[in-house]
Amino acid sequence: MRTLLAVSTALFLAACSGATASPAPSGEGAGATPTTLAGDPAHPVVVELYQSQGCSSCPPAIKVINRLADRGDVIPLTFAVTYWDSLGWKDSFATPAYTARQWDYAHTAGRSQVATPQVIVNGRDAVLGSREGELNAAIARNVVKTGPAIAAANGKVTIGDGKAANATVWVVRYDPRTINVAIQAGENGGVTLPHRNVVKQLVNVGSWSGKAASFALPAAPAGLKTAILVQNGKGGPILSAAKI
């Protein structure tokens, strides 16, 4: 795993270029079939992959997220970051807003660096994206059933009553198709990476304080699916989420 600053030895176990990765735990190595611990489709867990097409550690994590894309108990999202665009290949989906979101998570958790490939599970757990067994376990333990109900109709999304909070309501638009990107330079030069659930739009539509409230939905680009996230602040836990 490549970090932008220092590597946290408690979490980040591999370097992106040339370093020797630590052995994967049993059931999580290449070719192994990790145990899938199912979540709850009625309360999907948000799984956010932060990756860059320019980082050689990211393809295994991209494959993991792609495998999650058809599960009903999760909302897997691929966020492309900008900070490795200088490695010889500029990520074709990257935007500074997604880099800023990963930094929001780092600052909230007290981490002094960001890294790829990193997965944030329901705004709580940070997991090395290529460790599928650890990710499945994090999904299972991060099911939240106490958050507010989410409903959408007539161009609006309604967040129901719930525990008082200072929450951000996000509208996320993502492409459910498999998008094959031929990388022509940099660390992954010559590799074609298949991406799924690539985030194309991330919009803060307002705040939710615990009382039922409705928010206008921004126009949806053609072909994209929509997820609604109710999040404590901007880098805190996901209180509720839904596909609409």
Side-chain angles (χ1 to χ4, degrees):
M1 170 173 284
R2 183 189 289 276
T3 57
L4 184 56
L5 298 176
V7 173
S8 170
T9 56
L11 173 64
F12 305 129
L13 304 179
C16 190
S17 297
T20 302
S22 299
S26 176
E28 296 179 27
T33 301
T35 301
T36 299
L37 302 175
D40 180 357
H43 302 89
V45 173
V46 180
V47 179
E48 303 177 41
L49 170 64
Y50 291 88
Q51 64 84 41
S52 172
Q53 294 164 357
C55 176
S56 60
S57 286
C58 287
I62 292 170
K63 290 180 181 179
V64 170
I65 289 296
N66 290 352
R67 284 194 286 270
L68 290 177
D70 294 320
R71 278 178 55 174
D73 60 330
V74 296
I75 303 176
L77 301 169
T78 298
F79 286 92
V81 298
T82 57
Y83 47 85
W84 299 131
D85 284 353
S86 61
L87 295 179
W89 177 260
K90 186 175 181 180
D91 192 292
S92 55
F93 305 122
T95 175
Y98 305 157
T99 303
R101 181 166 176 80
Q102 189 184 20
W103 272 112
D104 285 339
Y105 280 124
H107 292 150
T108 298
R111 294 188 292 269
S112 61
Q113 72 285 314
V114 292
T116 56
Q118 184 182 59
V119 173
I120 305 295
V121 182
N122 247 12
R124 293 170 170 82
D125 284 357
V127 179
L128 182 62
S130 56
R131 292 187 176 271
E132 193 166 6
E134 291 181 12
L135 177 54
N136 280 323
I139 290 169
R141 68 174 173 264
N142 277 287
V143 176
V144 177
K145 300 183 179 182
T146 57
I150 299 173
N154 302 318
K156 293 184 177 181
V157 60
T158 299
I159 312 301
D161 289 323
K163 186 177 180 180
N166 180 21
T168 303
V169 180
W170 297 102
V171 175
V172 184
R173 295 295 177 23
Y174 61 95
D175 195 329
R177 301 172 301 165
T178 298
I179 305 173
N180 291 303
V181 179
I183 311 301
Q184 300 175 11
E187 294 185 349
N188 291 318
V191 174
T192 295
L193 294 179
H195 297 271
R196 294 192 68 184
N197 287 21
V198 174
V199 175
K200 296 295 187 69
Q201 188 181 71
L202 177 67
V203 182
N204 176 350
V205 295
S207 299
W208 177 79
S209 62
K211 295 182 179 179
S214 294
F215 306 88
L217 288 170
L224 302 187
K225 290 190 174 182
T226 301
I228 305 298
L229 316 182
V230 182
Q231 181 171 27
N232 188 12
K234 288 188 175 181
I238 304 293
L239 307 178
S240 188
K243 304 172 189 178
I244 63 171

